[in-house]
Amino acid sequence: MDASGIGFTGVTVAYKGAVALDNLDLDVAPGEIMAIIGPSGCGKTTALRAVAGFVQPTRGRIRIGATDVTDLPPYARDIGMVVQNYALFPHMRVAENVAFGLRARRAPDSLVAERVRDCLVMVGMEAYADRYPRQLSGGQQQRVAIARALAIRPRVLLLDEPLSALDAQIRRNMLGELARLHRDLPHLTVLYVTHDQTEALTLADRIAIMRGGRLIANGTSQMLYRAPPNRFAAEFLGRANLLAVRHEQTDGRFARVRLGDTVLTAMAPFSELAGEVLLCLRPHDIFLAPVSVQPANTLHATVTDVQWLGDQHSVALELAGQVLRLVSTPLRDPPPPGAVVAVHFAAEDASIIPEGTG
Amino acid sequence: MASDGVAVLPAARLRLNGAWVVPPLGILAALFFYPLALIIQQSVTTAGGLPDFGSYARVLAGPLFANALLHTLEIALLATTGCLALGFTMALVLTFVPFPGARALSRLIDTFIALPTFLIALALTFIYGSAGIANMSIMQLTGAEEPPIDFLYTVAGVVLAEVTVYTPFVMRPLLAAFSLIETAQIEVASSLGAGAWRIIRRVILPAALPALLAGGSLCLLLTVNEFGIVFFIGAKGVITLPLLVYGKAIQEDDYTAACVIAVVNIALSLSLFLLYRVMVARVDQGQRGA
């Protein structure tokens, strides 16, 4: 089966004058898992529903593969969809639920039986074919929902917060299974909407971050995490320390910035840096340094709070009126609040964000 | 004070003695069981007050009774079918094809339940009666001598009136059932390639089945016992069991025959009610799963 990508071109969705999706341009490559993340009301679900055909764009076009599907009804779009509350048909047994799409396409009985069995095996639910949905746990219901979506061999799979209704342990397991499923079906293009950045980082090849109906950032998971293009992306995807610094000079991949009297070096993934910029430091990339050794990129800060979280220590620091938080493996001898400590970081682990964006 | 650790909850019931059962039972007996017993007694008693168990054979074997029973069942079944079809369609549209004023319309339809049933019969007479608006307009337009629409004084007229009156009784439970169907189920069905008909047949109808059974049984009960509409329309030759009871008792003073027919009518109603309970219980059980 040929893989099909998804393309949004200038897609705007407005309900009664309120813009839910604002001029979205986004391409999902064939066989890719793209996660759309953002806070509630950011437009991520609207984008997914526009691909499914449940909302009609006010402007713009949507493409699946080479087909412009903007004006096609949902049943003609060849999509598989999995939603938060599973939406299994309660009066049908598991096997009938999985067969639903094939029956709607008038597939011959032999094909239906074979495909239903294959899909249930794929999600590990073959022993439950004769059960009713109400006899299954949440995680099992979601597996059936995934099997039902895959049974029609859809061109794209749309996942709308598929793990949000599950508890933490099952969610972790399901994440692993979704990743395995995609390894088994490498041609399947997946659009994954979630508010959970961990799910996005674990599963997605690329991540699109949205806010207020607009696309704020879009790139590979690694790139967005290591070099966020703006403040919102940095803060939404993982935790970040954003220190206000002054740009002095860019030299190839690195930039020199000044924080008070201290000159620091960090990655400069974006050109046109000038004046006030932000230094993005992930909490686990900062290390407490012995005062005797002073490597490059060292800052002196006052400890304001120390928390022990079992497998790690979280230390809050204050320097020149700014807050800096670091996490480390458990410290044998944590500094007391009020102590002045030296911390340092590697230039490769820090990046500069143009100030004022996002 | 170890025993304090175990809290004893007071029984969640009023502590009244057995004498309190007497007043409600007394009222029930006076208002319901006694008249019912009188009817049954009268049905096996001659006008002279002598026991007569032959009255059943005499009345039930007559052509009048057979005709009335047939009409009663025919009208009840047709009207119930009409109520189910119309109620399902209307509830479907009101729920899944949202339009401005849908809520107001469903409230308006609800108010039909509050209206006296014969009022609809009267309204239909104004529209479709021999001197009604429809016939008069057509006669004026075409110059016809006879009213061209004459279905009102037939079984069809009675059925139309009953469908109009009793459809809300089907719609209410249906609207409640539809409101419980997740939109996501319909959307997923649609994404899997199902068109509107398949979604109605395979997703909505099964979810609505208990409501359809409940509403349909209720309609059947009400239409079997309907008196006002049949009486008001006064269709020629359309006599139902309640109408026959009225005729025998009030017009012919034949109380024995009236009571025999009434007893049959009660038995019919109770069997329908039993059927309704069994159906609802079976559907409930099916939904809970074995």
Side-chain angles (χ1 to χ4, degrees), chain B residues 243-276:
Chain B
L243 222 58
L244 194 58
V245 174
Y246 173 80
K248 288 289 178 197
I250 307 300
Q251 293 168 327
E252 298 177 28
D253 270 348
D254 185 352
Y255 279 95
T256 304
C259 288
V260 168
I261 300 159
V263 169
V264 174
N265 204 343
I266 291 165
L268 187 62
S269 296
L270 288 179
S271 344
L272 282 174
F273 184 69
L274 201 68
L275 180 76
Y276 161 66

PDB file of all heavy atoms in Angstrom, chain B residues 243-276:
ATOM      1  N   LEU B 243     -65.952   1.523  22.696  1.00  0.00           N
ATOM      2  CA  LEU B 243     -67.171   2.102  22.137  1.00  0.00           C
ATOM      3  C   LEU B 243     -68.347   1.128  22.281  1.00  0.00           C
ATOM      4  O   LEU B 243     -69.483   1.535  22.539  1.00  0.00           O
ATOM      5  CB  LEU B 243     -66.932   2.426  20.654  1.00  0.00           C
ATOM      6  CG  LEU B 243     -67.495   3.759  20.173  1.00  0.00           C
ATOM      7  CD1 LEU B 243     -66.902   4.901  20.991  1.00  0.00           C
ATOM      8  CD2 LEU B 243     -67.206   3.960  18.695  1.00  0.00           C
ATOM      9  N   LEU B 244     -68.043  -0.154  22.142  1.00  0.00           N
ATOM     10  CA  LEU B 244     -69.079  -1.174  22.271  1.00  0.00           C
ATOM     11  C   LEU B 244     -69.576  -1.243  23.719  1.00  0.00           C
ATOM     12  O   LEU B 244     -70.772  -1.386  23.974  1.00  0.00           O
ATOM     13  CB  LEU B 244     -68.513  -2.535  21.832  1.00  0.00           C
ATOM     14  CG  LEU B 244     -69.529  -3.646  21.576  1.00  0.00           C
ATOM     15  CD1 LEU B 244     -70.531  -3.227  20.496  1.00  0.00           C
ATOM     16  CD2 LEU B 244     -68.819  -4.937  21.160  1.00  0.00           C
ATOM     17  N   VAL B 245     -68.637  -1.112  24.666  1.00  0.00           N
ATOM     18  CA  VAL B 245     -69.020  -1.093  26.079  1.00  0.00           C
ATOM     19  C   VAL B 245     -69.983   0.059  26.323  1.00  0.00           C
ATOM     20  O   VAL B 245     -71.049  -0.097  26.935  1.00  0.00           O
ATOM     21  CB  VAL B 245     -67.782  -0.931  26.993  1.00  0.00           C
ATOM     22  CG1 VAL B 245     -68.196  -0.771  28.451  1.00  0.00           C
ATOM     23  CG2 VAL B 245     -66.843  -2.120  26.831  1.00  0.00           C
ATOM     24  N   TYR B 246     -69.622   1.239  25.774  1.00  0.00           N
ATOM     25  CA  TYR B 246     -70.467   2.431  25.920  1.00  0.00           C
ATOM     26  C   TYR B 246     -71.845   2.182  25.321  1.00  0.00           C
ATOM     27  O   TYR B 246     -72.881   2.459  25.946  1.00  0.00           O
ATOM     28  CB  TYR B 246     -69.764   3.603  25.227  1.00  0.00           C
ATOM     29  CG  TYR B 246     -70.594   4.862  25.148  1.00  0.00           C
ATOM     30  CD1 TYR B 246     -70.694   5.714  26.257  1.00  0.00           C
ATOM     31  CD2 TYR B 246     -71.263   5.200  23.977  1.00  0.00           C
ATOM     32  CE1 TYR B 246     -71.443   6.866  26.186  1.00  0.00           C
ATOM     33  CE2 TYR B 246     -72.022   6.354  23.901  1.00  0.00           C
ATOM     34  CZ  TYR B 246     -72.113   7.189  25.007  1.00  0.00           C
ATOM     35  OH  TYR B 246     -72.868   8.318  24.932  1.00  0.00           O
ATOM     36  N   GLY B 247     -71.847   1.642  24.111  1.00  0.00           N
ATOM     37  CA  GLY B 247     -73.122   1.395  23.418  1.00  0.00           C
ATOM     38  C   GLY B 247     -74.009   0.448  24.199  1.00  0.00           C
ATOM     39  O   GLY B 247     -75.193   0.722  24.415  1.00  0.00           O
ATOM     40  N   LYS B 248     -73.428  -0.670  24.646  1.00  0.00           N
ATOM     41  CA  LYS B 248     -74.212  -1.669  25.368  1.00  0.00           C
ATOM     42  C   LYS B 248     -74.750  -1.093  26.679  1.00  0.00           C
ATOM     43  O   LYS B 248     -75.910  -1.273  27.028  1.00  0.00           O
ATOM     44  CB  LYS B 248     -73.352  -2.902  25.685  1.00  0.00           C
ATOM     45  CG  LYS B 248     -73.039  -3.763  24.462  1.00  0.00           C
ATOM     46  CD  LYS B 248     -74.273  -4.500  23.977  1.00  0.00           C
ATOM     47  CE  LYS B 248     -73.945  -5.323  22.731  1.00  0.00           C
ATOM     48  NZ  LYS B 248     -75.170  -5.716  22.012  1.00  0.00           N
ATOM     49  N   ALA B 249     -73.895  -0.378  27.412  1.00  0.00           N
ATOM     50  CA  ALA B 249     -74.276   0.100  28.745  1.00  0.00           C
ATOM     51  C   ALA B 249     -75.227   1.283  28.672  1.00  0.00           C
ATOM     52  O   ALA B 249     -76.283   1.286  29.292  1.00  0.00           O
ATOM     53  CB  ALA B 249     -73.030   0.471  29.542  1.00  0.00           C
ATOM     54  N   ILE B 250     -74.887   2.297  27.874  1.00  0.00           N
ATOM     55  CA  ILE B 250     -75.639   3.548  27.901  1.00  0.00           C
ATOM     56  C   ILE B 250     -76.816   3.529  26.934  1.00  0.00           C
ATOM     57  O   ILE B 250     -77.904   4.007  27.249  1.00  0.00           O
ATOM     58  CB  ILE B 250     -74.701   4.738  27.579  1.00  0.00           C
ATOM     59  CG1 ILE B 250     -73.479   4.727  28.489  1.00  0.00           C
ATOM     60  CG2 ILE B 250     -75.443   6.064  27.664  1.00  0.00           C
ATOM     61  CD1 ILE B 250     -73.780   4.823  29.972  1.00  0.00           C
ATOM     62  N   GLN B 251     -76.579   2.952  25.734  1.00  0.00           N
ATOM     63  CA  GLN B 251     -77.652   3.036  24.741  1.00  0.00           C
ATOM     64  C   GLN B 251     -78.615   1.858  24.831  1.00  0.00           C
ATOM     65  O   GLN B 251     -79.804   1.993  24.579  1.00  0.00           O
ATOM     66  CB  GLN B 251     -77.043   3.127  23.338  1.00  0.00           C
ATOM     67  CG  GLN B 251     -76.310   4.448  23.164  1.00  0.00           C
ATOM     68  CD  GLN B 251     -75.457   4.480  21.913  1.00  0.00           C
ATOM     69  OE1 GLN B 251     -74.912   3.462  21.496  1.00  0.00           O
ATOM     70  NE2 GLN B 251     -75.348   5.665  21.314  1.00  0.00           N
ATOM     71  N   GLU B 252     -78.106   0.659  25.192  1.00  0.00           N
ATOM     72  CA  GLU B 252     -78.981  -0.511  25.174  1.00  0.00           C
ATOM     73  C   GLU B 252     -79.346  -1.010  26.569  1.00  0.00           C
ATOM     74  O   GLU B 252     -80.094  -1.971  26.708  1.00  0.00           O
ATOM     75  CB  GLU B 252     -78.308  -1.658  24.397  1.00  0.00           C
ATOM     76  CG  GLU B 252     -78.054  -1.314  22.934  1.00  0.00           C
ATOM     77  CD  GLU B 252     -77.317  -2.443  22.216  1.00  0.00           C
ATOM     78  OE1 GLU B 252     -77.453  -3.618  22.611  1.00  0.00           O
ATOM     79  OE2 GLU B 252     -76.567  -2.128  21.265  1.00  0.00           O
ATOM     80  N   ASP B 253     -78.767  -0.391  27.592  1.00  0.00           N
ATOM     81  CA  ASP B 253     -79.028  -0.816  28.978  1.00  0.00           C
ATOM     82  C   ASP B 253     -78.690  -2.286  29.216  1.00  0.00           C
ATOM     83  O   ASP B 253     -79.248  -2.903  30.109  1.00  0.00           O
ATOM     84  CB  ASP B 253     -80.496  -0.564  29.353  1.00  0.00           C
ATOM     85  CG  ASP B 253     -80.664   0.831  29.951  1.00  0.00           C
ATOM     86  OD1 ASP B 253     -79.600   1.454  30.259  1.00  0.00           O
ATOM     87  OD2 ASP B 253     -81.795   1.303  30.094  1.00  0.00           O
ATOM     88  N   ASP B 254     -77.818  -2.848  28.378  1.00  0.00           N
ATOM     89  CA  ASP B 254     -77.444  -4.253  28.549  1.00  0.00           C
ATOM     90  C   ASP B 254     -76.150  -4.310  29.343  1.00  0.00           C
ATOM     91  O   ASP B 254     -75.053  -4.433  28.791  1.00  0.00           O
ATOM     92  CB  ASP B 254     -77.284  -4.908  27.164  1.00  0.00           C
ATOM     93  CG  ASP B 254     -77.008  -6.401  27.275  1.00  0.00           C
ATOM     94  OD1 ASP B 254     -76.793  -6.895  28.410  1.00  0.00           O
ATOM     95  OD2 ASP B 254     -76.995  -7.067  26.222  1.00  0.00           O
ATOM     96  N   TYR B 255     -76.273  -4.168  30.666  1.00  0.00           N
ATOM     97  CA  TYR B 255     -75.078  -4.066  31.505  1.00  0.00           C
ATOM     98  C   TYR B 255     -74.270  -5.341  31.527  1.00  0.00           C
ATOM     99  O   TYR B 255     -73.050  -5.302  31.626  1.00  0.00           O
ATOM    100  CB  TYR B 255     -75.458  -3.626  32.925  1.00  0.00           C
ATOM    101  CG  TYR B 255     -75.650  -2.128  32.975  1.00  0.00           C
ATOM    102  CD1 TYR B 255     -76.904  -1.560  32.843  1.00  0.00           C
ATOM    103  CD2 TYR B 255     -74.528  -1.293  33.111  1.00  0.00           C
ATOM    104  CE1 TYR B 255     -77.065  -0.194  32.845  1.00  0.00           C
ATOM    105  CE2 TYR B 255     -74.688   0.070  33.122  1.00  0.00           C
ATOM    106  CZ  TYR B 255     -75.956   0.625  32.983  1.00  0.00           C
ATOM    107  OH  TYR B 255     -76.099   1.963  32.981  1.00  0.00           O
ATOM    108  N   THR B 256     -74.941  -6.470  31.440  1.00  0.00           N
ATOM    109  CA  THR B 256     -74.217  -7.743  31.456  1.00  0.00           C
ATOM    110  C   THR B 256     -73.264  -7.804  30.259  1.00  0.00           C
ATOM    111  O   THR B 256     -72.062  -8.056  30.411  1.00  0.00           O
ATOM    112  CB  THR B 256     -75.204  -8.926  31.407  1.00  0.00           C
ATOM    113  OG1 THR B 256     -76.098  -8.789  32.504  1.00  0.00           O
ATOM    114  CG2 THR B 256     -74.460 -10.242  31.486  1.00  0.00           C
ATOM    115  N   ALA B 257     -73.797  -7.529  29.064  1.00  0.00           N
ATOM    116  CA  ALA B 257     -72.960  -7.555  27.861  1.00  0.00           C
ATOM    117  C   ALA B 257     -71.831  -6.532  27.981  1.00  0.00           C
ATOM    118  O   ALA B 257     -70.671  -6.816  27.653  1.00  0.00           O
ATOM    119  CB  ALA B 257     -73.800  -7.274  26.625  1.00  0.00           C
ATOM    120  N   ALA B 258     -72.174  -5.315  28.451  1.00  0.00           N
ATOM    121  CA  ALA B 258     -71.170  -4.259  28.600  1.00  0.00           C
ATOM    122  C   ALA B 258     -70.027  -4.723  29.502  1.00  0.00           C
ATOM    123  O   ALA B 258     -68.848  -4.523  29.202  1.00  0.00           O
ATOM    124  CB  ALA B 258     -71.801  -2.989  29.164  1.00  0.00           C
ATOM    125  N   CYS B 259     -70.414  -5.384  30.593  1.00  0.00           N
ATOM    126  CA  CYS B 259     -69.381  -5.814  31.545  1.00  0.00           C
ATOM    127  C   CYS B 259     -68.544  -6.962  30.992  1.00  0.00           C
ATOM    128  O   CYS B 259     -67.338  -7.037  31.247  1.00  0.00           O
ATOM    129  CB  CYS B 259     -70.013  -6.205  32.864  1.00  0.00           C
ATOM    130  SG  CYS B 259     -70.604  -4.764  33.757  1.00  0.00           S
ATOM    131  N   VAL B 260     -69.179  -7.860  30.235  1.00  0.00           N
ATOM    132  CA  VAL B 260     -68.420  -8.947  29.599  1.00  0.00           C
ATOM    133  C   VAL B 260     -67.339  -8.351  28.701  1.00  0.00           C
ATOM    134  O   VAL B 260     -66.160  -8.718  28.763  1.00  0.00           O
ATOM    135  CB  VAL B 260     -69.353  -9.871  28.780  1.00  0.00           C
ATOM    136  CG1 VAL B 260     -68.536 -10.803  27.895  1.00  0.00           C
ATOM    137  CG2 VAL B 260     -70.252 -10.675  29.707  1.00  0.00           C
ATOM    138  N   ILE B 261     -67.740  -7.394  27.861  1.00  0.00           N
ATOM    139  CA  ILE B 261     -66.790  -6.778  26.925  1.00  0.00           C
ATOM    140  C   ILE B 261     -65.724  -6.005  27.701  1.00  0.00           C
ATOM    141  O   ILE B 261     -64.533  -6.037  27.364  1.00  0.00           O
ATOM    142  CB  ILE B 261     -67.530  -5.849  25.932  1.00  0.00           C
ATOM    143  CG1 ILE B 261     -68.550  -6.685  25.142  1.00  0.00           C
ATOM    144  CG2 ILE B 261     -66.556  -5.179  24.987  1.00  0.00           C
ATOM    145  CD1 ILE B 261     -69.645  -5.868  24.524  1.00  0.00           C
ATOM    146  N   ALA B 262     -66.162  -5.321  28.767  1.00  0.00           N
ATOM    147  CA  ALA B 262     -65.195  -4.575  29.584  1.00  0.00           C
ATOM    148  C   ALA B 262     -64.153  -5.510  30.170  1.00  0.00           C
ATOM    149  O   ALA B 262     -62.954  -5.194  30.194  1.00  0.00           O
ATOM    150  CB  ALA B 262     -65.914  -3.815  30.690  1.00  0.00           C
ATOM    151  N   VAL B 263     -64.592  -6.677  30.641  1.00  0.00           N
ATOM    152  CA  VAL B 263     -63.656  -7.641  31.225  1.00  0.00           C
ATOM    153  C   VAL B 263     -62.638  -8.087  30.169  1.00  0.00           C
ATOM    154  O   VAL B 263     -61.429  -8.156  30.433  1.00  0.00           O
ATOM    155  CB  VAL B 263     -64.407  -8.854  31.817  1.00  0.00           C
ATOM    156  CG1 VAL B 263     -63.417  -9.974  32.171  1.00  0.00           C
ATOM    157  CG2 VAL B 263     -65.187  -8.438  33.053  1.00  0.00           C
ATOM    158  N   VAL B 264     -63.137  -8.353  28.939  1.00  0.00           N
ATOM    159  CA  VAL B 264     -62.226  -8.740  27.853  1.00  0.00           C
ATOM    160  C   VAL B 264     -61.228  -7.611  27.592  1.00  0.00           C
ATOM    161  O   VAL B 264     -60.020  -7.829  27.419  1.00  0.00           O
ATOM    162  CB  VAL B 264     -63.014  -9.071  26.565  1.00  0.00           C
ATOM    163  CG1 VAL B 264     -62.061  -9.316  25.410  1.00  0.00           C
ATOM    164  CG2 VAL B 264     -63.897 -10.281  26.789  1.00  0.00           C
ATOM    165  N   ASN B 265     -61.746  -6.386  27.578  1.00  0.00           N
ATOM    166  CA  ASN B 265     -60.898  -5.217  27.337  1.00  0.00           C
ATOM    167  C   ASN B 265     -59.815  -5.111  28.413  1.00  0.00           C
ATOM    168  O   ASN B 265     -58.633  -4.853  28.125  1.00  0.00           O
ATOM    169  CB  ASN B 265     -61.783  -3.967  27.335  1.00  0.00           C
ATOM    170  CG  ASN B 265     -61.137  -2.837  26.551  1.00  0.00           C
ATOM    171  OD1 ASN B 265     -59.950  -2.887  26.299  1.00  0.00           O
ATOM    172  ND2 ASN B 265     -61.910  -1.853  26.178  1.00  0.00           N
ATOM    173  N   ILE B 266     -60.208  -5.324  29.659  1.00  0.00           N
ATOM    174  CA  ILE B 266     -59.243  -5.248  30.766  1.00  0.00           C
ATOM    175  C   ILE B 266     -58.183  -6.337  30.598  1.00  0.00           C
ATOM    176  O   ILE B 266     -56.978  -6.088  30.748  1.00  0.00           O
ATOM    177  CB  ILE B 266     -59.965  -5.406  32.124  1.00  0.00           C
ATOM    178  CG1 ILE B 266     -60.832  -4.180  32.398  1.00  0.00           C
ATOM    179  CG2 ILE B 266     -58.946  -5.605  33.253  1.00  0.00           C
ATOM    180  CD1 ILE B 266     -61.843  -4.378  33.510  1.00  0.00           C
ATOM    181  N   ALA B 267     -58.648  -7.548  30.249  1.00  0.00           N
ATOM    182  CA  ALA B 267     -57.707  -8.662  30.070  1.00  0.00           C
ATOM    183  C   ALA B 267     -56.713  -8.336  28.963  1.00  0.00           C
ATOM    184  O   ALA B 267     -55.505  -8.578  29.094  1.00  0.00           O
ATOM    185  CB  ALA B 267     -58.464  -9.938  29.737  1.00  0.00           C
ATOM    186  N   LEU B 268     -57.218  -7.749  27.883  1.00  0.00           N
ATOM    187  CA  LEU B 268     -56.356  -7.370  26.747  1.00  0.00           C
ATOM    188  C   LEU B 268     -55.314  -6.353  27.207  1.00  0.00           C
ATOM    189  O   LEU B 268     -54.114  -6.476  26.929  1.00  0.00           O
ATOM    190  CB  LEU B 268     -57.241  -6.794  25.635  1.00  0.00           C
ATOM    191  CG  LEU B 268     -56.582  -6.492  24.305  1.00  0.00           C
ATOM    192  CD1 LEU B 268     -56.022  -7.765  23.684  1.00  0.00           C
ATOM    193  CD2 LEU B 268     -57.589  -5.859  23.346  1.00  0.00           C
ATOM    194  N   SER B 269     -55.770  -5.338  27.947  1.00  0.00           N
ATOM    195  CA  SER B 269     -54.861  -4.292  28.433  1.00  0.00           C
ATOM    196  C   SER B 269     -53.793  -4.878  29.334  1.00  0.00           C
ATOM    197  O   SER B 269     -52.609  -4.574  29.194  1.00  0.00           O
ATOM    198  CB  SER B 269     -55.617  -3.229  29.227  1.00  0.00           C
ATOM    199  OG  SER B 269     -56.506  -2.577  28.390  1.00  0.00           O
ATOM    200  N   LEU B 270     -54.243  -5.741  30.262  1.00  0.00           N
ATOM    201  CA  LEU B 270     -53.282  -6.309  31.208  1.00  0.00           C
ATOM    202  C   LEU B 270     -52.267  -7.199  30.492  1.00  0.00           C
ATOM    203  O   LEU B 270     -51.081  -7.197  30.834  1.00  0.00           O
ATOM    204  CB  LEU B 270     -54.000  -7.082  32.311  1.00  0.00           C
ATOM    205  CG  LEU B 270     -54.749  -6.203  33.324  1.00  0.00           C
ATOM    206  CD1 LEU B 270     -55.444  -7.054  34.374  1.00  0.00           C
ATOM    207  CD2 LEU B 270     -53.802  -5.210  33.998  1.00  0.00           C
ATOM    208  N   SER B 271     -52.712  -7.938  29.476  1.00  0.00           N
ATOM    209  CA  SER B 271     -51.747  -8.766  28.746  1.00  0.00           C
ATOM    210  C   SER B 271     -50.738  -7.896  28.018  1.00  0.00           C
ATOM    211  O   SER B 271     -49.554  -8.226  27.964  1.00  0.00           O
ATOM    212  CB  SER B 271     -52.403  -9.706  27.737  1.00  0.00           C
ATOM    213  OG  SER B 271     -53.746  -9.842  27.963  1.00  0.00           O
ATOM    214  N   LEU B 272     -51.230  -6.796  27.439  1.00  0.00           N
ATOM    215  CA  LEU B 272     -50.311  -5.888  26.749  1.00  0.00           C
ATOM    216  C   LEU B 272     -49.305  -5.309  27.737  1.00  0.00           C
ATOM    217  O   LEU B 272     -48.119  -5.188  27.435  1.00  0.00           O
ATOM    218  CB  LEU B 272     -51.082  -4.752  26.078  1.00  0.00           C
ATOM    219  CG  LEU B 272     -51.771  -5.106  24.772  1.00  0.00           C
ATOM    220  CD1 LEU B 272     -52.609  -3.937  24.280  1.00  0.00           C
ATOM    221  CD2 LEU B 272     -50.742  -5.491  23.719  1.00  0.00           C
ATOM    222  N   PHE B 273     -49.798  -4.977  28.924  1.00  0.00           N
ATOM    223  CA  PHE B 273     -48.919  -4.403  29.939  1.00  0.00           C
ATOM    224  C   PHE B 273     -47.859  -5.430  30.353  1.00  0.00           C
ATOM    225  O   PHE B 273     -46.674  -5.113  30.478  1.00  0.00           O
ATOM    226  CB  PHE B 273     -49.739  -3.967  31.152  1.00  0.00           C
ATOM    227  CG  PHE B 273     -48.918  -3.287  32.200  1.00  0.00           C
ATOM    228  CD1 PHE B 273     -48.375  -2.031  31.947  1.00  0.00           C
ATOM    229  CD2 PHE B 273     -48.665  -3.889  33.411  1.00  0.00           C
ATOM    230  CE1 PHE B 273     -47.597  -1.403  32.902  1.00  0.00           C
ATOM    231  CE2 PHE B 273     -47.893  -3.268  34.367  1.00  0.00           C
ATOM    232  CZ  PHE B 273     -47.353  -2.024  34.111  1.00  0.00           C
ATOM    233  N   LEU B 274     -48.307  -6.679  30.501  1.00  0.00           N
ATOM    234  CA  LEU B 274     -47.385  -7.758  30.850  1.00  0.00           C
ATOM    235  C   LEU B 274     -46.323  -7.907  29.762  1.00  0.00           C
ATOM    236  O   LEU B 274     -45.119  -8.006  30.044  1.00  0.00           O
ATOM    237  CB  LEU B 274     -48.179  -9.061  31.002  1.00  0.00           C
ATOM    238  CG  LEU B 274     -47.492 -10.143  31.826  1.00  0.00           C
ATOM    239  CD1 LEU B 274     -47.397  -9.717  33.279  1.00  0.00           C
ATOM    240  CD2 LEU B 274     -48.269 -11.457  31.707  1.00  0.00           C
ATOM    241  N   LEU B 275     -46.778  -7.899  28.524  1.00  0.00           N
ATOM    242  CA  LEU B 275     -45.863  -8.007  27.384  1.00  0.00           C
ATOM    243  C   LEU B 275     -44.823  -6.894  27.436  1.00  0.00           C
ATOM    244  O   LEU B 275     -43.621  -7.104  27.251  1.00  0.00           O
ATOM    245  CB  LEU B 275     -46.674  -7.929  26.085  1.00  0.00           C
ATOM    246  CG  LEU B 275     -45.874  -8.016  24.796  1.00  0.00           C
ATOM    247  CD1 LEU B 275     -45.450  -9.457  24.554  1.00  0.00           C
ATOM    248  CD2 LEU B 275     -46.686  -7.516  23.606  1.00  0.00           C
ATOM    249  N   TYR B 276     -45.308  -5.677  27.721  1.00  0.00           N
ATOM    250  CA  TYR B 276     -44.438  -4.505  27.815  1.00  0.00           C
ATOM    251  C   TYR B 276     -43.366  -4.712  28.880  1.00  0.00           C
ATOM    252  O   TYR B 276     -42.178  -4.494  28.659  1.00  0.00           O
ATOM    253  CB  TYR B 276     -45.321  -3.290  28.103  1.00  0.00           C
ATOM    254  CG  TYR B 276     -44.624  -2.079  28.660  1.00  0.00           C
ATOM    255  CD1 TYR B 276     -43.701  -1.382  27.882  1.00  0.00           C
ATOM    256  CD2 TYR B 276     -44.926  -1.619  29.935  1.00  0.00           C
ATOM    257  CE1 TYR B 276     -43.079  -0.260  28.400  1.00  0.00           C
ATOM    258  CE2 TYR B 276     -44.310  -0.497  30.444  1.00  0.00           C
ATOM    259  CZ  TYR B 276     -43.390   0.177  29.679  1.00  0.00           C
ATOM    260  OH  TYR B 276     -42.776   1.284  30.185  1.00  0.00           O
TER     261      TYR B 276
END
